Structures are given as C-alpha cells and as structure tokens.
Amino acid sequence: MAKRVTGPEIEKLIQLLAKVPGLGPRSARRAALHLVKKKDQLLGPLAEAMGEAHRKVRICSTCGNVDTSDPCSVCTDAQRDHSVIIVVEDVADLWALERTGAMNSAYHVLGGTLSPLDGIGPGDLNIRTLVDRVTDGEVRELIIAVNATVEGQTTAHYITDQLEGLNVRITRLAHGVPVGGELDYLDDGTLTAALRARTAI
C-alpha cells in the first residue's frame, strides 16, 4: 500500500477534483498541486468563488437553466424572442447553442431524456413546465434540440404528443453530414438521416 505524502486536506481536494468530468486521478493530482503552489493567486480566489456560487446558484423555475437569479438572465432578457423556445436535454447543451450565436431565442432544459431502462419517466423531467409554457399561447415555435439517440428521439416524440392540438410549430435540429465531414467516414445512420433530410440547392 502506497504511503500518504500529503495531509488529509490536500487528499480531500484531490479526491473532489477527480470527480470533475475530464479529470481523472492523475489530472486531479496535477491540478491540486498547481492550486496549492499558487495558493494566494488561485486557491484562495477559487475557494471564494466556489463558496459564493454554492450560496447563490439557483435553478430557473421557468426554463431549468442554472443561474444566480430566478428567473434566469435568459428568461428575463427582453432582447430575446420568447416566442421561440429551444428545448435541450441539459444546461451544457444550452451553453453550447448560445456559443454559436445563431439564435436569440428562449430555452427550456429538460434535465435529461426518457429512459425506461434507467427508470426515468416523464415525471422525472422538466416536461410539464414546458407544456404549460406552450399552453400560455405566446410560443409560436418549439425547436427540439435533443441528442440523436434512441432516448432523445423517444423524448422528442413524447413532447410532440403532449403538445398535439396546440397552435405551435414544432421543429427539430437537422441530422446528417456535419460541416467539413467526409462521407466515407460517416456511419450508416448519419448518412441515412442526411439523405432523408436533404434540401433543395
């Protein structure tokens, strides 16, 4: 058994950092060592920022986004087109779409996808709030931007069924050949989706 070379506080820091996505045990050790070496410039301010985030972070009761206010800054932004809602699985997807700057719409975070095998049903997701938002009548288009997985497609169909009869246009992200992609390297499912979603030139 390897001997411990640091105090329990540093070991705890390493263990917690190792739980962060993208950091394994070795990366966590390197990150912890760097933070400890730069205690005044990094570790202190980071600890303070994390404490403040822990105290102030909220889940938006309207869309499910994470922010320090409820409703969040996206929902209260008067410059956005709130008649268009992009539905995403996770906050990370919201952030990814925002990075593109392609749309200036509202969002709705589901908090996952339907997965009966994992015991995730409609009641476990933020679907009821979405239906309520659309029922209010201000939404004219719903863009379903879930992952192109079986669970994602099942969730998209479920949402579509829940909104049947309401006066809202429901669209989804295009699937197919990525920009810069070469056909020879794409899987059959992607090619099939691209052929079915072909557009006029």
Side-chain angles (χ1 to χ4, degrees):
M1 186 175 169
K3 292 181 181 177
R4 197 168 70 184
V5 294
T6 63
E9 298 83 3
I10 296 175
E11 281 299 323
K12 185 176 181 182
L13 175 62
I14 293 168
Q15 289 169 8
L16 289 171
L17 285 171
K19 293 180 180 181
V20 175
L23 289 181
R26 287 184 181 182
S27 298
R29 285 193 176 282
R30 284 195 295 271
L33 183 59
H34 185 72
L35 288 169
V36 170
K37 283 181 175 178
K38 305 268 185 181
K39 191 171 120 180
D40 293 332
Q41 300 97 324
L42 280 176
L43 189 59
L46 178 62
E48 193 176 309
M50 291 177 82
E52 192 171 356
H54 180 263
R55 287 188 300 275
K56 294 185 176 179
V57 164
R58 305 279 179 269
I59 302 295
C60 178
S61 57
T62 303
C63 74
N65 186 21
V66 294
D67 204 339
T68 53
S69 60
D70 181 16
C72 70
S73 54
V74 172
C75 290
T76 56
D77 185 353
Q79 303 301 315
R80 288 181 181 271
D81 182 358
H82 291 276
S83 69
V84 178
I85 296 177
I86 302 177
V87 180
V88 295
E89 291 180 24
D90 193 72
V91 174
D93 301 325
L94 186 158
W95 291 358
L97 289 168
E98 272 296 284
R99 275 197 316 267
T100 69
M103 297 281 294
N104 192 32
S105 60
Y107 289 92
H108 193 87
V109 181
L110 295 173
T113 53
L114 295 172
S115 180
L117 291 175
D118 297 321
I120 301 173
D124 300 309
L125 302 178
N126 193 15
I127 295 176
R128 184 74 252 158
T129 312
L130 174 63
V131 174
D132 291 343
R133 288 177 78 183
V134 175
T135 306
D136 287 345
E138 293 180 13
V139 180
R140 62 179 170 80
E141 182 179 4
L142 203 68
I143 303 170
I144 300 180
V146 294
N147 292 326
T149 59
V150 172
E151 294 82 7
Q153 297 313 304
T154 301
T155 305
H157 288 301
Y158 180 83
I159 291 170
T160 304
D161 290 344
Q162 293 298 301
L163 299 174
E164 191 174 353
L166 296 176
N167 187 25
V168 62
R169 179 177 180 229
I170 301 175
T171 59
R172 69 173 192 176
L173 291 185
H175 298 154
V177 181
V179 175
E182 296 183 32
L183 298 184
D184 189 39
Y185 292 101
L186 300 178
D187 62 274
D188 295 346
T190 301
L191 286 172
T192 302
L195 286 169
R196 288 180 179 161
R198 62 192 182 276
T199 56
I201 296 176

